[in-house]
Amino acid sequence: MEADASVDMFSKVLENHLLQTTKLVEEHLDSEIQKLDQMDEDELERLKEKRLEALRKAQQQKQEWLSKGHGEYREIPSERDFFQEVKESKKVVCHFYRDSAFRCKILDRHLAILSKKHLETKFLKLNVEKAPFLCERLRIKVIPTLALVKDGKTQDYVVGFTDLGNTDDFTTESLEWRLGCSDILNYSGNLMEPPFQNQKKFGTNFTKLEKKTIRGKKYDSDSDDD
């Protein structure tokens, strides 16, 4: 009996909540419709032009990103290319990889998906064997490592899979969330709630570094190898 009463009470609370939410949505729609009804032709035309201008700017920004190599996950051949790439784009994710590391191939799959979804960010990969100077400067010792570069400065690192639930089976959304935590892409979900399960077990702490120039000397990283 007590269980049935609890279920009934929960159902009523849920029903009331849904009714209140529906009422608020209806009131908002009514308000917007009323605003449109009260607009004269000139105001409607200005609103239309404003929206068209916003669409034009968004399209121009998209074309600019595509012209700079956004929208695809690309390999760059050398350290010199790295400096040029991060100079011309505001947000860059660079995967430092090694052919023999199978976890790098796991990351490749997820990064290829995110590169098409997040045009605002450039996604690159660089073979560590072709970038000894850069790896030394950035103190990259764990493979794979993602360097997150914003405005030409290394903002953060994703070292291994620790921040992704500490598993090889992490989802693309988990990586998207982690990159969103560093504001290196536009994440639409809740940054306070990691997508992966067992949040308490794995924890959500990760090291955020102070902004330093790419050519700086002080960079922190784990010392383990793959």
Side-chain angles (χ1 to χ4, degrees):
M1 293 293 293
E2 291 183 2
D4 292 340
S6 298
V7 170
D8 289 340
M9 183 178 297
F10 177 76
S11 298
K12 289 179 180 179
V13 171
L14 181 59
E15 183 179 354
N16 288 333
H17 178 72
L18 290 174
L19 287 173
Q20 291 176 3
T21 302
T22 302
K23 184 179 179 181
L24 289 173
V25 172
E26 289 177 347
E27 289 176 352
H28 178 72
L29 289 174
D30 289 341
S31 175
E32 292 298 315
I33 292 173
Q34 186 177 4
K35 288 180 182 179
L36 290 173
D37 288 340
Q38 293 175 349
M39 285 184 176
D40 57 30
E41 290 186 4
D42 289 341
E43 288 176 322
L44 286 171
E45 188 62 28
R46 285 195 293 270
L47 179 61
K48 179 182 177 181
E49 285 297 324
K50 186 176 180 180
R51 289 179 176 175
L52 286 174
E53 180 62 23
L55 287 173
R56 281 194 290 267
K57 287 184 178 180
Q59 185 62 26
Q60 289 174 357
Q61 178 66 82
K62 179 180 178 181
Q63 292 302 319
E64 180 182 345
W65 282 332
L66 291 175
S67 70
K68 292 180 178 179
H70 294 228
E72 60 179 335
Y73 178 45
R74 298 181 291 115
E75 179 162 8
I76 51 177
S78 69
E79 296 170 322
R80 181 175 299 178
D81 294 278
F82 174 86
F83 291 111
Q84 182 59 39
E85 294 279 2
V86 300
K87 185 187 300 183
E88 65 182 22
S89 293
K90 182 178 178 65
K91 297 180 178 182
V92 179
V93 174
C94 187
H95 174 200
F96 287 85
Y97 81 98
R98 184 184 296 135
D99 285 326
S100 59
F102 78 93
R103 287 191 174 89
C104 292
K105 294 177 175 60
I106 296 175
L107 261 185
D108 284 340
R109 183 173 70 254
H110 296 294
L111 292 171
I113 294 172
L114 292 177
S115 68
K116 292 178 173 58
K117 181 178 180 180
H118 291 279
L119 294 183
E120 73 276 9
T121 304
K122 178 183 288 184
F123 289 83
L124 306 171
K125 61 186 296 187
L126 178 59
N127 191 325
V128 294
E129 295 177 1
K130 297 180 180 180
F133 167 79
L134 190 57
C135 289
E136 181 179 356
R137 286 287 182 172
L138 300 184
R139 295 189 178 180
I140 293 175
K141 300 178 181 179
V142 177
I143 302 300
T145 287
L146 299 181
L148 313 184
V149 186
K150 191 173 182 180
D151 295 320
K153 298 178 181 180
T154 302
Q155 176 176 310
D156 202 357
Y157 295 104
V158 180
V159 181
F161 294 169
T162 304
D163 298 339
L164 306 172
N166 209 26
T167 174
D168 292 347
D169 298 324
F170 66 88
T171 64
T172 302
E173 186 183 1
S174 294
L175 178 57
E176 184 181 26
W177 165 81
R178 175 61 183 86
L179 297 178
C181 288
S182 296
D183 193 32
I184 207 68
L185 53 71
N186 301 332
Y187 183 66
S188 59
N190 185 355
L191 291 173
M192 300 302 294
E193 297 181 3
F196 50 79
Q197 296 179 346
N198 299 323
Q199 178 179 345
K200 292 183 179 180
K201 176 181 178 182
F202 295 121
T204 58
N205 294 326
F206 51 85
T207 303
K208 291 193 71 174
L209 304 178
E210 295 296 327
K211 294 183 179 179
K212 305 178 178 70
T213 60
I214 290 297
R215 297 179 183 277
K217 293 183 178 180
K218 293 183 179 179
Y219 291 91
D220 297 326
S221 181
D222 294 338
S223 58
D224 299 329
D225 211 334
D226 50 28

